Amino acid sequence: MAKGIIFDIQEFTVHDGPGIRITVFFKGCPLRCVWCHNPEGLSFWPELMVRKASCINCGKCRQGCTHEECRPFGLCTKVCPRGLIKIVGETVDSTELATKLKKREEFLQKNGGGITLSGGEPLAQPEFLVDLLKEIKPMHTVVETSGYGRPDVFLQVVTLTDLILFDIKHTDSGEHKRLTGVDNRLILENLGHLKESGKPFIVRIPLIPGINDTIDNMEKTAMLLKDASNLEKVELLPYNPFTGAKYPMVGKEYRPSFDERQEPRFYTKAFERFNIMCSIL
C-alpha cells in the first residue's frame, strides 16, 4: 500500500482507451507545457479552485470555520452559497482506491473497458502508481503518460499495464525544453524502451497551432514511430481554445506563446506513408 494524491475521478470516459472507462487523474507534473489544459493538475499539493468570476462578495468564506480540511487555506470551502470553492487534490492510499474502483469491475468489463490512470503525470508518483496497478488487476489498465520518468519505473509500469497512451509534444529537444520546461532526452529513451517491449501503445500528439503542427515535426515524429510494430495508432488532439479559463481559478495566469485563434494543421500524410493509422480526436 502506498499513498498518492489525485485531483479527479471521471466515470464513463470513452476517449482514454478501449470501451467505457474510469479515468483517475494523478496530481502533480514535472512538465510545464505552455498549453496545459489541466492547471489544477500541475502542483503536487492540494489547492483551492475558486470560480471568482461568479463571486457575489458575500464574505462568508472569510468568516472562519472549524473544518479541518479548510484550515490550510485560511477560508471556509463549504459555506459558499453558490458552491464556487472546492479543494483540488485528495490524498488516498492505493488499497482503498483499488477497492473503490473494483466495485465497477463487472460493469466496465461488460462494456469492454477498464481503468485509465492519467494526470498530471502518473510516473511522478511511482510507488503509488505501481501499487495501484498491481491492486486493480485483473481489470484492464491504461496509463497515459508524457514518458518523463525514470526508465526503471517506466519499464515496470509497461509490464503491469495493458495499454500505454504515450504523449509526444515535440521532436526537437530545444523546442521541447522551451515549450515544456524539460528536454525530451528521457522521453525519447522511454519511447525506445516502449517500442522494444512489445506492449501495445497509442501515441497522442496535442496539436498546438504554429508550434508542433508543422510538416517537419510531423514527419520527424512519424520517423520515430515507423518501425514500432506494437504501435496501434496515432491520435491528434486539437488545441482546446478554452484552455485558459481554469487558470485564474487556481491563481495562475495563462500566457500562451502562440496565436490561439489560429487553427492547427492536421498533416496525417506523414504517418500514412508508413502505414501508421492516424486519427483526430
Side-chain angles (χ1 to χ4, degrees):
M1 181 186 73
K3 290 189 178 295
I5 182 165
I6 62 175
F7 71 91
D8 198 9
I9 298 177
Q10 291 183 3
E11 299 193 5
F12 303 104
T13 60
V14 293
H15 296 298
D16 297 328
I20 296 177
R21 312 190 67 79
I22 295 175
T23 301
V24 180
F25 292 86
F26 284 40
K27 198 168 185 334
C29 183
L31 277 64
R32 288 297 181 267
C33 303
V34 297
W35 57 81
C36 180
H37 65 282
N38 280 332
E40 73 275 31
L42 294 175
S43 167
F44 286 91
W45 309 103
E47 59 190 322
L48 290 185
M49 178 172 273
V50 184
R51 288 183 284 155
K52 297 177 182 178
S54 302
C55 178
I56 58 176
N57 294 309
C58 66
K60 291 183 179 180
C61 64
R62 295 187 292 273
Q63 293 175 4
C65 70
T66 58
H67 305 127
E68 186 66 29
E69 59 267 43
C70 300
R71 188 171 297 173
F73 305 106
L75 53 78
C76 183
T77 65
K78 303 179 182 296
V79 73
C80 178
R82 294 192 171 187
L84 303 177
I85 306 171
K86 72 173 182 177
I87 298 173
V88 181
E90 174 189 5
T91 299
V92 295
D93 72 56
S94 56
T95 300
E96 291 177 359
L97 180 55
T99 300
K100 179 179 179 179
L101 295 172
K102 292 182 84 168
K103 289 179 180 179
R104 307 301 301 273
E105 182 174 3
E106 184 178 354
F107 169 80
L108 295 172
Q109 188 176 30
K110 284 182 178 179
N111 289 278
I115 306 298
T116 297
L117 307 179
S118 186
E121 174 48 65
L123 294 177
Q125 298 187 57
E127 292 182 7
F128 177 59
L129 174 60
V130 168
D131 278 10
L132 183 59
L133 285 170
K134 289 178 179 178
E135 296 198 48
I136 58 179
K137 287 295 185 186
M139 298 176 73
H140 185 277
T141 54
V142 173
V143 171
E144 180 170 17
T145 176
S146 68
Y148 191 82
R150 284 172 21 211
D152 61 320
V153 173
F154 180 73
L155 284 170
Q156 188 176 10
V157 169
V158 168
T159 300
L160 292 168
T161 307
D162 295 299
L163 174 68
I164 297 289
L165 301 181
F166 196 95
D167 295 352
I168 295 181
K169 323 289 189 183
H170 206 291
T171 56
D172 181 82
S173 182
E175 279 297 282
H176 197 283
K177 186 167 185 177
R178 181 179 72 85
L179 298 167
T180 71
V182 302
D183 66 39
N184 62 359
R185 178 192 58 79
L186 191 55
I187 292 168
L188 295 179
E189 180 181 346
N190 281 331
L191 176 61
H193 293 317
L194 180 58
K195 291 194 297 183
E196 293 173 357
S197 72
K199 182 72 64 174
F201 74 104
I202 294 172
V203 163
R204 287 186 156 180
I205 304 173
L207 274 191
I208 313 305
I211 298 295
N212 67 346
D213 62 342
T214 65
I215 292 176
D216 179 67
N217 186 57
M218 291 296 102
E219 289 184 340
K220 287 179 178 176
T221 305
M223 288 295 292
L224 284 174
L225 303 172
K226 66 182 178 65
D227 58 345
S229 60
N230 50 331
L231 173 66
E232 294 193 347
K233 61 180 174 178
V234 171
E235 294 179 338
L236 305 179
L237 285 64
Y239 172 72
N240 182 353
F242 301 106
T243 291
K246 289 196 288 186
Y247 277 72
M249 298 182 195
V250 289
K252 294 180 172 65
E253 186 177 1
Y254 186 59
R255 287 185 172 183
S257 57
F258 52 90
D259 185 357
E260 293 183 276
R261 299 165 297 179
Q262 184 179 339
E263 289 290 328
R265 291 174 290 184
F266 301 98
Y267 186 63
T268 59
K269 290 183 179 179
F271 303 98
E272 293 164 356
R273 61 186 280 226
F274 293 114
N275 295 317
I276 298 172
M277 184 185 300
C278 183
S279 61
I280 301 169
L281 285 190

